[in-house]
Amino acid sequence: MGSAGELHMLYTCPFCWKVRGLLEHLDLEYEKVQVNPMKAKKTLPSAPEWKKVPVWVDSEKNVHVDSTPIMKEIDAVHNEGKLWASKNEERRDEWMEWVDLHMSKATIPILYGSLFSALKTTTRVSKLEKFGFISKRLYAWAGFPIMWGIIARSRVKKDGRSPKQLWHDLLSQFTASFNGEQFFGGDSPDLVDLAAFGYVRSISPYPQFSQITDHEVGMKWYNAIESSLKV
Ligand SMILES: N[C@@H](CCC(=O)N[C@@H](CS)C(=O)NCC(=O)O)C(=O)O
């Protein structure tokens, strides 16, 4: 089987983790194009209209943007739309929106919410991404006060909860929506599960992940999806 397409991505981007999880779940072959974060705006195949990652270029060279629409597209083309199909479309749409709204916002506070968290994260990011020689060092040291000072602190303050509590609440709320089943999608994961899984998994390369792994019910769900992936 040939390659399903190219995923233009940043290793640490939570939205890219969503699409990667789906591709692994479907066991599709694809090429990872890791962009240089400093040059993304010029080099992405979707630029100048869309300057964010992920960008999906399918085997026919059509360009798709925005992680949730990309997931729906891949499921439709390679899996007869089975992961997006639902008996209750209202519930599905409502929770997909919930996942994209709340989980995406919660990744920054846990990774950059305190001074030490921010430093740990930016150092790790600078190692994982393909920066140039100078910008790698610049990012590790100059990036962290920016992420900490401006973005994360205002979010943590606004929410009032610790980043750990926020994640525990999100996992409790999400798993409570399963109506007693193992996954949101019932006895097997669907696209909503895989989107949520992608956000959680984007935190897994960092030491802060341990704050999430002690949510027992959430981890049972997470591990069940992870073990179904063909990595
Ligand atoms: N709604 C988009 C968000 C993508 C996004 O914000 N990606 C970040 C990286 S994590 C990015 O490329 N930001 C660059 C920018 O906003 O200029 C999606 O789900 O794909």
Side-chain angles (χ1 to χ4, degrees):
M1 196 182 65
S3 164
E6 274 173 9
L7 184 66
H8 294 253
M9 52 168 266
L10 284 172
Y11 185 80
T12 54
C13 167
F15 309 101
C16 301
W17 281 94
K18 283 166 65 187
V19 179
R20 288 168 59 190
L22 171 65
L23 289 162
E24 285 168 26
H25 181 77
L26 295 177
D27 199 15
L28 293 172
E29 246 177 68
Y30 70 102
E31 275 124 68
K32 282 186 193 155
V33 182
Q34 219 175 321
V35 303
N36 178 331
M38 298 298 176
K39 295 191 185 144
K41 295 205 161 125
K42 284 190 197 136
T43 55
L44 280 176
S46 52
E49 288 80 19
W50 183 269
K51 299 171 188 144
K52 297 177 181 183
V53 287
V55 173
W56 174 247
V57 182
D58 66 25
S59 54
E60 257 130 53
K61 300 288 167 224
N62 300 311
V63 177
H64 306 272
V65 299
D66 209 1
S67 55
T68 296
I70 292 174
M71 290 177 85
K72 291 182 197 169
E73 163 73 21
I74 293 172
D75 179 48
V77 172
H78 297 281
N79 189 42
E80 299 160 5
K82 284 187 215 148
L83 290 168
W84 187 237
S86 171
K87 286 192 204 94
N88 186 344
E89 294 182 357
E90 203 181 320
R91 170 181 177 261
R92 173 200 69 186
D93 292 350
E94 189 190 313
W95 279 92
M96 188 59 132
E97 217 180 302
W98 182 92
V99 165
D100 274 336
L101 183 68
H102 297 284
M103 289 201 172
S104 67
K105 278 202 200 134
T107 59
I108 296 266
I110 192 159
L111 296 181
Y112 300 96
S114 76
L115 192 60
F116 285 118
S117 282
L119 183 55
K120 268 188 218 155
T121 304
T122 45
T123 313
R124 186 107 182 88
V125 169
S126 76
K127 286 193 182 123
L128 290 168
E129 299 294 0
K130 286 194 172 162
F131 283 103
F133 181 81
I134 305 279
S135 53
K136 189 189 221 65
R137 280 147 186 87
L138 207 64
Y139 183 83
W141 293 99
F144 98 87
I146 297 172
M147 295 305 285
W148 175 65
I150 304 167
I151 309 168
R153 260 188 28 188
S154 70
R155 285 205 191 162
V156 173
K157 234 178 166 173
K158 219 158 125 194
D159 188 81
R161 284 171 289 182
S162 69
K164 176 178 172 166
Q165 191 56 49
L166 172 60
W167 268 105
H168 279 234
D169 290 351
L170 289 176
L171 284 172
S172 299
Q173 257 176 290
F174 183 58
T175 50
S177 78
F178 296 1
N179 305 324
E181 306 237 42
Q182 198 185 356
F183 301 100
F184 181 86
D187 53 16
S188 61
D190 70 1
L191 223 58
V192 179
D193 285 293
L194 285 160
F197 173 76
Y199 287 117
V200 179
R201 196 175 179 214
S202 73
I203 303 163
S204 68
Y206 304 96
Q208 291 94 320
F209 194 57
S210 64
Q211 296 179 20
I212 293 181
T213 52
D214 54 11
H215 190 286
E216 210 175 302
V217 180
M219 273 303 114
K220 218 173 129 200
W221 160 82
Y222 179 89
N223 291 332
I225 299 188
E226 193 177 43
S227 61
S228 78
L229 300 180
K230 289 124 192 144
V231 206

